Amino acid sequence: MRRIDVIPAWTFQDDSGNQLEPTLFRLLAAIHEHGKLTQAAKQVGISYRHSWNLLNKWTAFFGCELVHLQKGRGATLTPLGEKLLWAEQRVVARLEPQLKNMASELNLEIQRSLAATKPLLKLHASHGYAVALLPDAEANFQLDLQYKTTEEALSALNRGQCDLAGFHVPTEILSDSMIDAYKRHLRPRVHRVIRFVTRCQGLMVKPGNPKGIRAIADLAAADVRFINRQPASGTRSLLDELMRREGIVADDVQGFEDQEYTHSAVAAYVAAGMADVGFGVEAAARQFGLAFMPITCENYLFVCHANTLKQEAMQRFIALISSPNFLEKVVSLPGYAPNMPGETLRIDELIAQ
């Protein structure tokens, strides 16, 4: 199947118009991972000589070394090298939902141009690591996946702009205000819920946890810098409820107004040293080499109109998320677990749990 991926790329240019290729970022990431230039060059697919010349070029470009090479001790990134690496990863993480949305639209147009068109399912969903597995899964239907906030996804479902909406519900701290928020969009006689996965949310901190951050109450410490999610996100709603239960208000938390738009962007922000802690899923913390303090779990679910369950594309979607191959991929995600995927519930059954 022909598929398009939209990936951002950086180009640096000096006052003279000289440009350097963006292979540097892959090389820096490999050096950070392996600690050896020989292994890094092999992973990137370039020769040791080329990698050495590339580092020298970038060093001359920036006027500062990017990598420390010590005989017998391997290679380590300098502070500038680390900044460049984390900056690139922050950009990718921040833009990922928008780029994936664009790629989905383009891939849908490609599929429409082919003779044998498969059934189409439009999914608007809160961004997450398990949902991100869906576009690359082997499926006998077309999936138009658009990343939206929980509020946007549920509103789109009720406006008829999508067939299926993805959202997440806490398993332990479902408050009256959260229930009321869901009730604004979900109607027991009209909608049905489809189980998907559970995931763990918690605090992402630097390796070794130098500030000793272990609980939500620690966010109010004077020397702790926090990076938040945007107000419309489900993760932000979960955090707001956790803080309310601890008696913490926004003014108590340094950096509360600073926002990123995905779990991975929050993790990259912390990994770059721009904050001491963020709140998100364990998979994001592990992706960026951070320590993780679990706080609570939540169910990631899908909701659709009851009559949509009978459609061919929906039946194939349910078969996909409950298939052994897909479940194996879900299990490989840190902090994620299948939760009777494909089983349907009524709205009152969901709220009663």
Side-chain angles (χ1 to χ4, degrees):
M1 182 176 69
R2 299 177 180 87
R3 285 185 56 81
I4 290 175
D5 286 323
V6 182
I7 301 172
W10 289 33
T11 300
F12 284 96
Q13 180 173 310
D14 62 17
D15 294 338
S16 301
N18 298 315
Q19 294 186 353
L20 297 174
E21 65 274 25
T23 308
L24 172 74
F25 294 110
R26 291 190 292 126
L27 183 61
L28 292 179
I31 291 172
H32 178 75
E33 178 181 354
H34 298 291
K36 292 184 179 296
L37 185 57
T38 50
Q39 288 181 265
K42 184 177 181 180
Q43 179 172 311
V44 174
I46 59 178
S47 68
Y48 179 85
R49 182 183 182 86
H50 181 53
S51 65
W52 179 262
N53 290 336
L54 188 62
L55 289 176
N56 285 335
K57 273 181 163 182
W58 282 91
T59 296
F61 185 90
F62 289 107
C64 181
E65 287 189 344
L66 305 180
V67 176
H68 285 309
L69 296 172
Q70 292 181 292
K71 190 173 182 180
R73 294 189 177 184
T76 57
L77 300 184
T78 66
L80 177 58
E82 289 185 347
K83 284 290 184 184
L84 286 172
L85 173 61
W86 296 127
E88 191 265 350
Q89 295 194 1
R90 279 185 60 218
V91 168
V92 172
R94 179 180 289 183
L95 296 179
E96 183 179 18
Q98 292 89 342
L99 297 178
K100 293 294 186 184
N101 289 352
M102 184 180 298
S104 182
E105 293 173 1
L106 293 172
N107 286 316
L108 180 60
E109 290 303 318
I110 291 174
Q111 290 301 308
R112 283 174 174 165
S113 68
L114 301 179
T117 302
K118 299 176 182 178
L120 172 65
L121 185 71
K122 294 183 178 181
L123 168 60
H124 288 193
S126 172
H127 187 269
Y129 283 73
V131 171
L133 296 173
L134 292 169
D136 294 325
E138 290 294 332
N140 54 357
F141 63 93
Q142 297 179 77
L143 180 66
D144 180 14
L145 171 58
Q146 297 291 312
Y147 288 120
K148 307 289 182 179
T149 66
T150 295
E151 182 79 15
E152 290 170 339
L154 294 176
S155 296
L157 178 68
N158 287 319
R159 290 195 301 268
Q161 295 176 339
C162 64
D163 305 304
L164 193 63
F167 66 108
H168 39 103
V169 178
T171 59
E172 302 162 338
I173 61 163
L174 189 57
S175 66
D176 290 340
S177 61
M178 288 180 172
I179 292 175
D180 290 341
Y182 293 128
K183 283 182 175 179
R184 290 201 305 270
H185 299 284
L186 304 178
R187 299 189 294 276
R189 294 184 180 180
V190 175
H191 294 115
R192 294 293 182 269
V193 173
I194 302 172
R195 291 187 185 272
F196 185 40
V197 299
T198 59
R199 65 185 191 182
C200 185
Q201 293 246 41
L203 300 172
M204 299 181 280
V205 299
K206 297 175 183 177
N209 195 7
K211 295 290 180 74
I213 301 167
R214 302 193 178 279
I216 294 296
D218 296 329
L219 299 182
D223 63 338
V224 169
R225 296 171 301 159
F226 181 64
I227 176 63
N228 209 348
R229 286 291 303 278
Q230 77 275 29
S233 68
T235 295
R236 173 64 174 270
S237 297
L238 176 59
L239 175 66
D240 288 346
E241 177 62 22
L242 289 166
M243 288 176 53
R244 186 190 68 79
R245 296 187 178 206
E246 291 290 336
I248 301 173
V249 298
D251 289 343
D252 296 334
V253 181
Q254 182 186 168
F256 189 84
E257 300 302 324
D258 297 331
Q259 303 169 13
E260 286 289 354
Y261 290 81
T262 64
H263 295 279
S264 53
V266 168
Y269 199 96
V270 176
M274 301 176 69
D276 301 306
V277 58
F279 185 74
V281 296
E282 182 177 357
R286 302 307 178 198
Q287 178 184 352
F288 288 89
L290 301 174
F292 182 77
M293 308 297 155
I295 299 296
T296 190
C297 292
E298 58 186 5
N299 293 318
Y300 196 111
L301 307 160
F302 299 112
V303 60
C304 66
H305 289 83
N307 55 11
T308 307
L309 287 172
K310 302 174 185 178
Q311 295 179 4
E312 185 67 24
M314 183 64 74
Q315 289 297 310
R316 295 182 182 185
F317 174 81
I318 291 174
L320 169 65
I321 64 174
S322 57
S323 66
N325 287 342
F326 188 79
L327 295 181
E328 185 178 348
K329 295 177 181 179
V330 170
V331 171
S332 70
L333 297 172
Y336 278 79
N339 180 29
M340 295 178 281
E343 179 180 305
T344 59
L345 298 171
R346 297 192 307 273
I347 299 300
D348 53 354
E349 291 177 315
L350 170 66
I351 294 176
Q353 291 184 356

